[in-house]
Amino acid sequence: AEAYFPVGPGLGMEENFLSLDDILMSQEKLPGRAESSLPRLALLLGQGAGSGESVPEGSKLEIPLWLAKGLHDSKRRIISVELPKIYKEAWRTVFSADANVVDLHKMGPYYYGFGSQLLNFENPENPEIAQTILQATVSDSVCSPQTFVARFRRIMDSSQNAYNEDTSALVARLDELERALFQVGQKGLNDFQCWEKGQASQITASSLVQNYGKRKLAEVDG
């Protein structure tokens, strides 16, 4: 047995606290502002040298995501959170024009997961952020693929056309979710090549197909 079985990240606005990817993603920092005094948090937020010091009201902050979610309260206004620049309108325009040109790993290795977490905070731009990250939209009868959809096609195409090659350059510009998808594509290609060479003993249906078949049988029996 393996010493560690990887646990996948959560979906959307939910985190999986057993996932190493989500733990690392929660350390990413958000720009913000203290809307009230924050007792004994100066050292944690890099605003002082002593653990007993407070952060004065109005201070500009760089807040880890996990702490920002804990302090965020729409009624009490403890902190306010700003959008990181990569999720602002200027960058959303770049993604809309050609999402494939952006080095997501340099801009933020957890672009999709971190962006989804931003929807936990009240912001008038949340619908546009969600649309840019996750969806393909249809406007004026013209299909406009957004970031994930546009990049996914190229990622899977690259993973299926790089057999026994150095793929470091192909994945260098991908965020962690995209890298995981690339690896899935590579594994599928490798398994197929092994089967073609007679090195695989049996092809089995995926768990998704098996579960779908079970549901269909249950519907028929019902």
Side-chain angles (χ1 to χ4, degrees):
E2 295 183 23
Y4 170 71
F5 293 94
V7 177
L11 298 175
M13 296 167 62
E14 298 298 326
E15 292 177 75
N16 186 336
F17 294 104
L18 298 178
S19 167
L20 290 179
D21 282 328
D22 276 358
I23 292 172
L24 293 172
M25 182 265 293
S26 71
Q27 302 297 321
E28 295 286 312
K29 294 185 178 181
L30 283 166
R33 181 176 181 273
E35 299 295 341
S36 61
S37 177
L38 304 177
R40 298 183 297 278
L41 287 181
L43 182 62
L44 179 62
L45 294 172
Q47 298 284 325
S51 58
E53 295 183 36
S54 300
V55 176
E57 179 181 346
S59 299
K60 291 185 177 181
L61 305 171
E62 290 288 328
I63 317 169
L65 173 64
W66 63 268
L67 182 59
K69 290 176 67 176
L71 293 176
H72 180 69
D73 188 323
S74 58
K75 296 180 180 179
R76 295 179 59 192
R77 296 285 293 173
I78 299 174
I79 62 168
S80 59
V81 171
E82 301 174 10
L83 289 179
K85 66 178 182 179
I86 195 173
Y87 300 100
K88 292 183 178 181
E89 184 178 1
W91 274 102
R92 295 201 302 268
T93 302
V94 173
F95 287 125
S96 179
D98 187 353
N100 289 299
V101 303
V102 182
D103 186 342
L104 278 190
H105 202 268
K106 180 179 179 180
M107 299 302 293
Y110 299 98
Y111 171 77
Y112 299 106
F114 193 63
S116 298
Q117 290 296 312
L118 294 179
L119 304 181
N120 285 292
F121 305 99
E122 297 174 356
N123 190 298
E125 297 182 58
N126 278 354
E128 288 78 13
I129 295 172
Q131 184 182 75
T132 299
I133 293 173
L134 302 174
Q135 299 176 350
T137 63
V138 177
S139 175
D140 296 329
S141 301
V142 178
C143 183
S144 174
Q146 299 302 314
T147 306
F148 180 76
V149 175
R151 289 170 66 95
F152 175 77
R153 296 168 182 165
R154 179 170 292 187
I155 291 166
M156 297 313 294
D157 182 64
S158 298
S159 71
Q160 297 300 295
N161 290 282
Y163 185 62
N164 287 335
E165 297 178 19
D166 181 5
T167 61
S168 56
L170 293 174
V171 302
R173 298 164 65 87
L174 307 182
D175 103 314
E176 293 300 322
L177 173 61
E178 294 175 333
R179 290 184 176 189
L181 290 172
F182 185 91
Q183 291 173 0
V184 169
Q186 285 269 282
K187 183 179 184 304
L189 175 63
N190 184 66
D191 290 347
F192 178 72
Q193 295 287 345
C194 289
W195 174 77
E196 278 196 322
K197 296 174 182 177
Q199 297 172 351
S201 58
Q202 184 179 7
I203 295 180
T204 59
S206 73
S207 58
L208 291 175
V209 174
Q210 292 174 348
N211 291 334
Y212 180 76
K214 291 177 182 178
R215 287 200 301 271
K216 282 297 182 181
L217 288 174
E219 292 173 4
V220 172
D221 292 339

